[in-house]
Amino acid sequence: MCGIVGYIGQREAKELLLDGLKKLEYRGYDSAGIAVLQRGALQVKRAVGRLENLCAATGDGELSGTVGIGHTRWATHGAPSVENSHPHCNEAGTIAVVHNGIIENHEELKTFLMEKGYRFRSETDTEVIPHLIDFYYQGELLEAVQKAARQMKGSYAVCVMHVQHPEQIVAARKDSPLIVGLGQDENFVASDIPAVLKETRDVYLLEDGEFAVVTANDVNLYDVEKKPIQRSVYHVTFDENAAEKDGYDHFMLKEIFEQPQAIRETLRGCVAPGQPVVFDGVDYQDIAHIREIFIVACGTAYHAGLVGKNVIERLTNIPVDVDIASEFRYRHPIIDKDTLLVVISQSGETADTLAALRLAQRRGCRVLAVTNVVGSTIAREADHVFYTHAGPEIAVASTKAYTTQLIALYGLALFLAEHKGTLSEAECEMVKQEMLQLPELTAQVLESAESLHTLADKFLQENDIFYLGRGLDHAVAMEGSLKLKEISYIHSESYAGGELKHGPIALIEEGTVVIAVSTNERLRGKMESNVKEVVTRGAYVLGILTEGFPESVFDDVFYLPEVNPLFAPVLAILPLQLLSYYIAVGKGCDVDKPRNLAKSVTVE
Ligand code: F6R
């Protein structure tokens, strides 16, 4: 949600800020803006819509200066408009602020400031920040930012510039990610590492409640009492090119095709031929006492959790509960020191998932994070971290993060089963061998991509598409349905096959499109009956089936290679991802940046 950047050094700030924002656009793309300090005055440019609009609006020679801040917005308070875009300034135009997060008490602060004579120009929560800093400013910028921060409730990562302090940018963080990139005679501030990766691999990862005073030659970190903080430099090892399209039309397509490799890399953290099962980040002794597991996540990661529940219960007999983080945090979960809380988050920054983690820790649970982003807040706060090795996922719709999350959960199930003895040695070895086949099998499924392109063309005019499945196939159907709606804007629902007759079947009429996933021999007959129920009512049905299942009741079929049904979700999701992708492209949608969405959801 919203990306922020800052630059201070010897070079022209404008191009560096725009470059950084390009890398952060996945965090929000409703509007963008930059402010540069030029000959003692703040020059601000803002534009609604994609970053390219801002680039077009900042012509040659404009906004020339070597200190600046920038922002790409995902609108929360106030529609996407120039007035609501960041940077926001105080009335005198001497202070500029970019902000990611939500100032929850902004109404209260606004009333306070208006009583003091401050006037507001936007509908945003953010605008209280420059006015508050102005109110507290008495010649020292850090002090004013700290006093303002003490008044602010909610979450924020902010960058602040002041015309009286052209030699510094002040940054602060609470519950929103922020890093400082370290250069030679120049330094950077950003929401996320990719924004600075072209310029530096050395960064400070700021913690909650910390402030940074960034000059061209120095970076000093402080706590809220202004006590200096020592932080070791984090050296980034991942490849900058991993965040490029590599000749693919879209990041999403590239990321779909990266799945065999991503799965292979993630498997290394748990299973290897001829080796005992391990689970990176976890020493079994630390969790041997666990009596139940809670999996908490949002969106796609939650769907991975549903598969995890099924598999962990089956292999270990440990009861597993799964919940959506935004629900979990506001109900009364029965958890204690004997509960292992597993949080799943690609970004490692999702606000609700982070809140669930903190709640569980307060209740004495051990927390295991499954995340893709090294050094993310969730990774840092959890007791144990298992990293998925999907590489940077740029497309807003999650694909390779999902399949690698599945691998992590299979790995955890097998690790627990081996230690608890719920599977024999021979069974463990067999499951391990089957897991090691998954990179090959996924590559095989992806080879059939072209046939899905043709199938997708049939669905371009649809208004509603239904997904059906039973057991693990139902969890896959849920994820397939989410993928379709988020990138193609076609309304879609998923149902457990047996639930149809309890209501949803009323929606089926002549020509309704139904996609049925059926990969489990044990449930095949039941699923066939459910498919017949919709066919009888005139539905067109596409079957995603395992090789050998008869195609008789389906209008079209896509076959998956034979696989242990436990692992079928890894394969069955692939045609559903591709189908959604081709439908969205066919409809002319902006696949990588679907409307109203952002990649990293750092607000509630
Ligand atoms: C959908 C999607 C979202 C995320 C969700 C959680 O394609 O990407 O549903 O899965 O916002 O994000 P993370 O995994 O970063 O916590």
Side-chain angles (χ1 to χ4, degrees):
M1 305 270 120
C2 302
I4 66 178
V5 289
Y7 173 77
I8 185 159
Q10 320 303 324
R11 293 189 278 166
E12 281 295 325
K14 182 178 80 178
E15 291 308 325
L16 290 163
L17 294 172
L18 291 173
D19 256 16
L21 288 178
K22 263 182 215 145
K23 296 287 181 335
L24 293 180
E25 219 188 351
Y26 69 88
R27 300 181 69 89
Y29 33 82
D30 291 333
S31 65
I34 55 175
V36 172
L37 205 52
Q38 185 174 6
R39 289 189 289 279
L42 281 171
Q43 304 293 325
V44 179
K45 200 61 137 194
R46 306 180 292 182
V48 174
R50 299 294 155 90
L51 188 63
E52 60 212 40
N53 299 347
L54 177 67
C55 295
T58 53
D60 284 350
E62 268 188 276
L63 295 116
S64 171
T66 58
V67 190
I69 56 178
H71 187 267
T72 177
R73 180 170 187 246
W74 185 82
T76 57
H77 295 64
S81 66
V82 171
E83 296 69 39
N84 291 334
S85 305
H86 303 213
H88 288 284
C89 295
N90 60 336
E91 212 162 334
T94 52
I95 300 168
V97 172
V98 287
H99 164 225
N100 168 32
I102 291 181
I103 306 302
E104 287 167 3
N105 59 338
H106 68 278
E107 287 297 352
E108 189 189 307
L109 292 173
K110 193 169 170 179
T111 309
F112 166 80
L113 288 161
M114 284 171 78
E115 279 166 10
K116 307 274 180 237
Y118 286 91
R119 284 182 302 181
F120 284 76
R121 285 171 284 205
S122 77
E123 305 156 88
T124 64
D125 53 327
T126 301
E127 201 185 343
V128 297
I129 306 176
H131 294 314
L132 264 186
I133 295 172
D134 180 280
F135 177 72
Y136 286 116
Y137 180 73
Q138 286 181 328
E140 232 244 276
L141 185 56
L142 174 63
E143 196 174 292
V145 173
Q146 290 194 313
K147 283 184 173 160
R150 282 198 195 102
Q151 304 295 315
M152 290 162 14
K153 293 197 181 122
S155 59
Y156 51 81
V158 289
C159 271
V160 185
M161 283 162 67
H162 194 303
V163 291
Q164 301 297 328
H165 303 272
E167 76 298 346
Q168 63 178 225
I169 292 174
V170 174
R173 136 165 210 172
K174 178 175 171 281
D175 290 338
S176 282
L178 194 65
I179 61 119
V180 177
L182 308 170
Q184 191 71 44
D185 299 326
E186 60 182 5
N187 288 304
F188 305 79
V189 186
S191 302
D192 201 356
I193 292 169
V196 301
L197 216 46
K198 212 164 128 192
E199 307 299 335
T200 178
R201 293 185 159 270
D202 290 334
V203 300
Y204 286 143
L205 305 171
L206 261 68
E207 305 271 357
D208 273 352
E210 292 184 351
F211 297 79
V213 177
V214 183
T215 68
N217 299 305
D218 215 359
V219 177
N220 289 298
L221 306 185
Y222 301 95
D223 71 6
V224 73
E225 306 299 337
K226 234 172 134 188
K227 265 214 315 266
I229 293 170
Q230 297 307 319
R231 175 68 29 82
S232 38
V233 174
Y234 174 72
H235 185 75
V236 183
T237 49
F238 68 77
D239 182 10
E240 193 212 331
N241 294 330
E244 299 297 334
K245 274 193 219 153
D246 261 357
Y248 283 91
D249 288 344
H250 297 96
F251 279 111
M252 183 177 175
L253 191 62
K254 175 183 174 237
E255 288 162 7
I256 289 173
F257 277 90
E258 281 172 346
Q259 287 178 105
Q261 185 57 17
I263 289 171
R264 191 171 288 119
E265 295 295 331
T266 305
L267 280 168
R268 287 193 224 286
C270 43
V271 292
Q275 303 288 323
V277 178
V278 292
F279 195 69
D280 272 2
V282 180
D283 180 340
Y284 182 72
Q285 290 320 313
D286 292 336
I287 56 165
H289 63 288
I290 292 304
R291 290 223 211 104
E292 55 150 14
I293 296 176
F294 235 112
I295 302 179
V296 179
C298 303
T300 289
Y302 166 71
H303 294 156
L306 294 172
V307 174
K309 168 186 165 67
N310 194 311
V311 174
I312 295 170
E313 285 183 340
R314 197 166 299 194
L315 298 192
T316 70
N317 287 331
I318 301 173
V320 183
D321 216 329
V322 193
D323 209 350
I324 296 166
S326 55
E327 292 295 315
F328 176 87
R329 64 183 289 193
Y330 291 116
R331 64 183 182 83
H332 181 66
I334 313 296
I335 50 173
D336 59 22
K337 61 177 183 17
D338 295 332
T339 313
L340 175 68
L341 188 93
V342 179
V343 288
I344 311 173
S345 175
Q346 187 285 128
S347 63
E349 300 292 349
T350 301
D352 285 317
T353 312
L354 181 59
L357 174 158
R358 290 175 178 166
L359 166 72
Q361 282 179 333
R362 284 198 297 277
R363 299 274 187 87
C365 302
R366 285 200 92 82
V367 177
L368 161 65
V370 172
T371 182
N372 196 35
V373 179
V374 176
S376 56
T377 311
I378 286 177
R380 281 184 279 155
E381 293 198 15
D383 302 296
H384 308 274
V385 186
F386 180 93
Y387 285 111
T388 50
H389 293 280
E393 192 180 63
I394 308 293
V396 164
S398 190
T399 53
K400 60 179 180 170
Y402 171 76
T403 41
T404 54
Q405 285 160 358
L406 295 184
I407 297 300
L409 294 165
Y410 291 132
L412 178 63
L414 193 57
F415 176 69
L416 293 171
E418 193 171 84
H419 279 283
K420 288 178 73 69
T422 47
L423 287 186
S424 69
E425 222 174 278
E427 284 168 328
C428 275
E429 188 54 33
M430 198 182 73
V431 172
K432 200 170 84 181
Q433 290 309 328
E434 286 170 338
M435 280 176 75
L436 289 165
Q437 299 297 315
L438 289 170
E440 272 307 301
L441 293 173
T442 40
Q444 210 176 306
V445 175
L446 292 171
E447 276 167 22
S448 319
E450 230 7 75
S451 70
L452 291 157
H453 202 163
T454 319
L455 269 175
D457 287 343
K458 291 190 184 183
F459 305 140
L460 300 183
Q461 307 306 324
E462 295 305 321
N463 291 320
D464 308 281
I465 295 185
F466 294 90
Y467 288 72
L468 292 184
R470 280 173 171 261
L472 286 171
D473 293 335
H474 178 222
V476 174
M478 290 170 82
E479 173 57 10
S481 166
L482 175 65
K483 258 344 43 120
L484 182 76
K485 61 174 84 99
E486 68 183 322
I487 59 168
S488 76
Y489 317 139
I490 295 177
H491 168 250
S492 158
E493 302 285 348
S494 57
Y495 292 106
E499 270 296 289
L500 267 183
K501 55 189 165 297
H502 298 289
I505 201 162
L507 295 168
I508 305 294
E509 55 188 12
E510 196 58 39
T512 305
V513 173
V514 174
I515 299 178
V517 185
S518 182
T519 63
N520 188 336
E521 181 69 50
R522 194 167 62 88
L523 299 170
R524 194 178 89 192
K526 304 278 174 217
M527 195 60 203
E528 262 181 36
S529 305
N530 299 140
V531 169
K532 280 181 189 147
E533 287 160 13
V534 294
V535 168
T536 312
R537 274 115 189 141
Y540 155 96
V541 187
L542 164 64
I544 308 292
L545 313 175
T546 313
E547 206 85 59
F549 284 23
E551 57 184 85
S552 49
V553 288
F554 300 93
D555 293 276
D556 276 306
V557 290
F558 181 89
Y559 277 118
L560 303 168
E562 231 178 285
V563 66
N564 178 341
L566 219 53
F567 301 121
V570 179
L571 306 188
I573 194 58
L574 304 174
L576 302 184
Q577 292 170 345
L578 281 164
L579 209 57
S580 304
Y581 171 79
Y582 288 126
I583 293 173
V585 170
K587 291 188 67 182
C589 300
D590 189 343
V591 174
D592 283 338
K593 298 194 189 91
R595 70 186 180 205
N596 306 339
L597 297 177
K599 184 74 184 160
S600 182
V601 186
T602 52
V603 294
E604 262 196 84

